[in-house]
Amino acid sequence: MELLSANLRLRYKIMHYFCHKKSMNTLDSFSFANKRALIRVDFNVPLRVNEDGNRVITDDSRILAALPTIKHILNDGGAVVLMSHLGRPKNGYDADLSLNHLVDHLSSLLNVPVVFAGDCIGEEAFETTVNLKAGQVAILDNLRFYKEETAGDKAFAEKLSKHGDIYVNDAFGTAHRAHASTAIIAEFFKEAKKLESNELAKLLSMAISALLLSTNSKNLLLNAAPKSSLQYFHDFQSFLRRALKIQEYQRILAYSPEKKEEKILF
């Protein structure tokens, strides 16, 4: 009984840490005037080949969900550099998975010409982003053309950080991953220049609340079978990932109601 009690206390401490750890600042806490905001968005959208042989977006829900963050920064006098992944490239560059396919549609949604910067850590990309003026938008090519992105490579993250004066995380669908552009890159920005989008901060809070109030989370906490702290961490991480995905799905529904009949896959 004493062992079980100690085990539960340990589990509670781990859960308390994840639920109450300090988060980054939000957009409202910063002035973007004459600053370049490097925004990690989730533009992993489905594409198809049209009759002209061009790849076009079939569902822009994730792009629409990021527009409030982008517009907030532009309206505040800042410039925007967007970075995202698209699909799962296997061996470096893949023209079918280039973010260049998103440029025209994104430009029309923002009513602002979006500049395609090319390779995310190439010389051309840095020349493009360093010269951005207030009100301008650029987008880097697919982060996952480099295996260093998913590996959480620190040197790769540092190179990416050179594209902006401020880092903003709006990639709700990948916020739980320890990738270079989501977790590691924040190390290269001062605390005041690491931001979560307003919506991401709100949705993370909602996900945590959903987790704590759910039957599954109570079962997870009260499971009598002794586990190591590491195994409990993995269990909690897995459950939090499910909560995040549910919240992301509900966020997308706000922009694409027709998706309500689809199944949520984890």
Side-chain angles (χ1 to χ4, degrees), residues 79-258:
V80 168
V81 180
L82 301 168
M83 58 178 178
S84 178
H85 71 285
L86 178 60
R88 297 181 177 180
K90 294 181 179 180
N91 298 300
Y93 180 78
D94 182 343
D96 291 343
L97 297 176
S98 172
L99 290 179
N100 194 25
H101 299 302
L102 281 54
V103 170
D104 289 345
H105 186 60
L106 183 58
S107 296
S108 65
L109 290 174
L110 290 171
N111 199 28
V112 171
V114 175
V115 179
F116 180 61
D119 182 9
C120 60
I121 57 171
E123 184 177 340
E124 178 187 354
F126 287 112
E127 288 179 357
T128 298
T129 60
V130 76
N131 293 311
L132 281 184
K133 306 300 182 185
Q136 295 183 325
V137 181
I139 187 169
L140 307 177
D141 211 347
N142 196 336
L143 297 169
R144 291 189 184 175
F145 286 161
Y146 289 87
K147 64 182 184 299
E148 290 85 351
E149 161 64 0
T150 53
D153 184 80
K154 196 166 184 176
F156 180 70
E158 184 175 15
K159 290 178 181 178
L160 290 175
S161 72
K162 305 300 182 184
H163 288 296
D165 304 307
I166 307 132
Y167 170 68
V168 180
N169 188 355
D170 191 61
F172 189 73
T174 58
H176 61 284
R177 300 187 185 279
H179 291 175
S181 66
T182 55
I184 312 303
I185 193 171
E187 297 178 18
F188 301 100
F189 291 86
K190 293 180 180 180
E191 194 65 32
K193 295 185 178 182
K194 296 184 291 188
L195 311 175
E196 290 173 343
S197 71
N198 295 339
E199 191 166 1
L200 177 59
K202 179 180 69 177
L203 291 171
L204 284 172
S205 176
M206 289 169 60
I208 291 293
S209 297
L211 182 149
L212 290 176
L213 293 173
S214 72
T215 301
N216 286 342
S217 67
K218 293 175 184 176
N219 290 340
L220 179 64
L221 181 62
L222 299 175
N223 182 3
K227 292 183 179 180
S228 69
S229 58
L230 180 61
Q231 181 59 51
Y232 178 70
F233 168 82
H234 289 155
D235 287 350
F236 181 80
Q237 185 181 50
S238 175
F239 193 86
L240 179 57
R241 184 177 293 115
R242 285 179 60 88
L244 287 171
K245 284 187 175 291
I246 290 170
Q247 293 299 327
E248 179 199 15
Y249 186 78
Q250 291 175 344
R251 177 196 197 198
I252 290 174
L253 284 182
Y255 297 93
S256 183
E258 66 274 10

